[in-house]
Coordinates of all heavy atoms in Angstrom, one line a residue:
P1 N 11.9 -4.1 13.9 CA 11.7 -2.7 14.4 C 12.3 -2.5 15.7 O 12.1 -3.4 16.6 CB 10.1 -2.6 14.4 CG 9.7 -3.6 13.4 CD 10.7 -4.8 13.5
G2 N 13.0 -1.4 15.9 CA 13.7 -1.1 17.2 C 14.9 -1.9 17.4 O 15.6 -1.7 18.5
Y3 N 15.4 -2.7 16.5 CA 16.6 -3.5 16.7 C 17.8 -2.5 16.7 O 18.0 -1.7 15.8 CB 16.8 -4.5 15.6 CG 18.0 -5.4 15.8 CD1 18.0 -6.5 16.7 CD2 19.2 -5.2 15.1 CE1 19.1 -7.3 16.9 CE2 20.3 -6.0 15.2 CZ 20.2 -7.1 16.2 OH 21.3 -7.9 16.3
T4 N 18.7 -2.6 17.7 CA 19.9 -1.7 17.8 C 21.2 -2.5 17.7 O 22.3 -1.9 17.9 CB 19.8 -0.9 19.0 OG1 19.7 -1.8 20.2 CG2 18.6 0.0 19.0
G5 N 21.2 -3.8 17.6 CA 22.4 -4.5 17.6 C 22.4 -5.7 18.5 O 21.4 -5.9 19.2
P6 N 23.4 -6.5 18.5 CA 24.7 -6.4 17.8 C 24.5 -6.6 16.3 O 23.6 -7.1 15.8 CB 25.6 -7.5 18.3 CG 24.6 -8.5 18.8 CD 23.4 -7.8 19.3
G7 N 25.5 -6.0 15.5 CA 25.5 -6.1 14.1 C 24.8 -5.0 13.4 O 24.2 -4.1 14.1
P8 N 24.8 -4.9 12.1 CA 24.2 -3.8 11.4 C 22.7 -3.8 11.4 O 22.1 -4.9 11.6 CB 24.8 -4.0 9.9 CG 25.0 -5.5 9.8 CD 25.4 -5.9 11.2
V9 N 22.1 -2.6 11.2 CA 20.7 -2.5 11.1 C 20.4 -2.2 9.6 O 20.9 -1.3 9.0 CB 20.1 -1.4 12.0 CG1 18.7 -1.2 11.8 CG2 20.5 -1.6 13.4
I10 N 19.6 -3.1 9.0 CA 19.3 -3.0 7.6 C 17.8 -2.9 7.4 O 17.1 -3.9 7.4 CB 19.8 -4.2 6.8 CG1 21.3 -4.4 7.1 CG2 19.6 -4.1 5.3 CD1 22.0 -5.5 6.4
P11 N 17.3 -1.6 7.4 CA 15.8 -1.4 7.5 C 15.1 -1.8 6.2 O 13.9 -2.1 6.2 CB 15.7 0.1 7.8 CG 16.9 0.7 7.3 CD 18.0 -0.3 7.5
G12 N 15.8 -1.8 5.0 CA 15.2 -2.1 3.8 C 15.2 -3.6 3.4 O 14.7 -3.9 2.3
G13 N 15.8 -4.4 4.2 CA 15.8 -5.8 3.9 C 17.1 -6.1 3.1 O 17.8 -5.3 2.6
C14 N 17.4 -7.4 3.0 CA 18.6 -7.9 2.2 C 18.2 -8.1 0.8 O 17.4 -8.9 0.4 CB 19.0 -9.2 2.9 SG 20.5 -9.9 2.0
A15 N 18.9 -7.4 -0.1 CA 18.7 -7.4 -1.5 C 19.6 -8.5 -2.2 O 19.8 -8.4 -3.4 CB 18.9 -6.1 -2.2
D16 N 20.1 -9.4 -1.4 CA 21.0 -10.4 -1.9 C 20.3 -11.4 -2.8 O 20.8 -11.8 -3.8 CB 21.6 -11.2 -0.7 CG 22.8 -12.0 -1.2 OD1 23.6 -11.5 -2.0 OD2 23.0 -13.1 -0.6
L17 N 19.0 -11.7 -2.5 CA 18.2 -12.5 -3.3 C 17.0 -11.7 -3.7 O 16.1 -11.4 -2.9 CB 17.7 -13.8 -2.6 CG 18.8 -14.8 -2.2 CD1 18.2 -15.9 -1.3 CD2 19.5 -15.4 -3.4
T18 N 16.9 -11.3 -5.0 CA 15.8 -10.5 -5.4 C 15.2 -11.1 -6.7 O 15.9 -11.8 -7.4 CB 16.3 -9.0 -5.7 OG1 17.3 -9.1 -6.7 CG2 16.8 -8.3 -4.5
P19 N 13.9 -10.8 -7.0 CA 13.0 -10.0 -6.3 C 12.2 -10.8 -5.2 O 11.4 -10.2 -4.5 CB 12.0 -9.6 -7.4 CG 12.0 -10.7 -8.3 CD 13.4 -11.3 -8.3
E20 N 12.5 -12.1 -5.1 CA 11.7 -12.9 -4.2 C 12.6 -14.0 -3.7 O 13.6 -14.4 -4.3 CB 10.5 -13.4 -4.8 CG 10.8 -14.3 -6.1 CD 9.5 -14.7 -6.8 OE1 8.4 -14.7 -6.3 OE2 9.7 -15.2 -8.0
I21 N 12.2 -14.6 -2.5 CA 12.9 -15.7 -1.9 C 12.0 -16.9 -1.9 O 10.9 -16.9 -1.3 CB 13.4 -15.4 -0.5 CG1 14.2 -14.1 -0.5 CG2 14.2 -16.5 0.1 CD1 14.5 -13.5 0.8
G22 N 12.4 -18.0 -2.5 CA 11.6 -19.2 -2.5 C 12.5 -20.4 -2.4 O 12.9 -20.8 -1.3
I23 N 12.9 -21.1 -3.5 CA 13.8 -22.2 -3.5 C 15.2 -21.7 -3.9 O 15.4 -21.2 -5.0 CB 13.4 -23.3 -4.4 CG1 12.0 -23.9 -4.0 CG2 14.4 -24.5 -4.4 CD1 11.4 -24.8 -5.0
T24 N 16.2 -21.8 -3.0 CA 17.5 -21.3 -3.3 C 18.5 -22.4 -3.3 O 19.3 -22.5 -4.3 CB 17.9 -20.2 -2.3 OG1 17.0 -19.2 -2.1 CG2 19.3 -19.6 -2.6
G25 N 18.5 -23.3 -2.3 CA 19.4 -24.4 -2.3 C 19.1 -25.5 -3.3 O 17.9 -25.8 -3.6
T26 N 20.1 -26.1 -4.0 CA 19.9 -27.1 -5.0 C 19.2 -28.3 -4.3 O 19.7 -28.8 -3.3 CB 21.2 -27.5 -5.6 OG1 21.8 -26.4 -6.3 CG2 21.0 -28.7 -6.6
P27 N 18.1 -28.9 -4.9 CA 17.5 -30.1 -4.4 C 18.4 -31.3 -4.5 O 19.6 -31.2 -5.0 CB 16.3 -30.3 -5.3 CG 16.0 -28.9 -5.9 CD 17.4 -28.3 -6.1
V28 N 18.0 -32.4 -4.0 CA 18.7 -33.7 -4.2 C 17.7 -34.8 -4.5 O 16.6 -34.7 -4.1 CB 19.5 -34.0 -2.9 CG1 18.6 -34.3 -1.7 CG2 20.5 -35.1 -3.1
I29 N 18.2 -35.8 -5.3 CA 17.3 -36.8 -5.8 C 17.8 -38.2 -5.3 O 19.0 -38.5 -5.4 CB 17.3 -36.8 -7.3 CG1 16.6 -35.5 -7.8 CG2 16.5 -38.0 -7.9 CD1 16.6 -35.3 -9.3
D30 N 16.9 -39.0 -4.8 CA 17.2 -40.4 -4.5 C 16.7 -41.2 -5.6 O 15.6 -41.4 -5.9 CB 16.4 -40.8 -3.2 CG 16.7 -42.2 -2.7 OD1 17.4 -42.9 -3.5 OD2 16.3 -42.5 -1.6
R31 N 17.7 -41.8 -6.4 CA 17.4 -42.5 -7.6 C 16.7 -43.8 -7.2 O 15.8 -44.3 -8.0 CB 18.7 -42.8 -8.3 CG 18.5 -43.7 -9.5 CD 17.9 -43.0 -10.7 NE 17.3 -43.8 -11.7 CZ 17.4 -43.7 -13.0 NH1 18.2 -42.7 -13.5 NH2 16.7 -44.4 -13.8
A32 N 17.0 -44.4 -6.1 CA 16.5 -45.7 -5.7 C 15.0 -45.6 -5.5 O 14.2 -46.6 -5.9 CB 17.2 -46.3 -4.5
T33 N 14.5 -44.5 -4.9 CA 13.1 -44.4 -4.6 C 12.4 -43.5 -5.6 O 11.2 -43.3 -5.6 CB 12.8 -43.9 -3.2 OG1 13.4 -42.6 -3.1 CG2 13.5 -44.8 -2.2
G34 N 13.1 -42.8 -6.5 CA 12.5 -41.9 -7.5 C 12.0 -40.7 -6.8 O 10.9 -40.2 -7.1

């Protein structure tokens, strides 16, 4: 609220990940320790 820059002001949020944001990056597995 009240942000004026630098950069764009996006009041409705980023719809790049919808409808929710949780786990996005691929996990990784250590086979040696399971």
Side-chain angles (χ1 to χ4, degrees):
Y3 184 78
T4 59
V9 177
I10 304 179
C14 178
D16 194 38
L17 297 173
T18 58
E20 59 187 343
I21 304 167
I23 300 171
T24 308
T26 299
V28 67
I29 295 173
D30 184 349
R31 176 75 203 224
T33 64

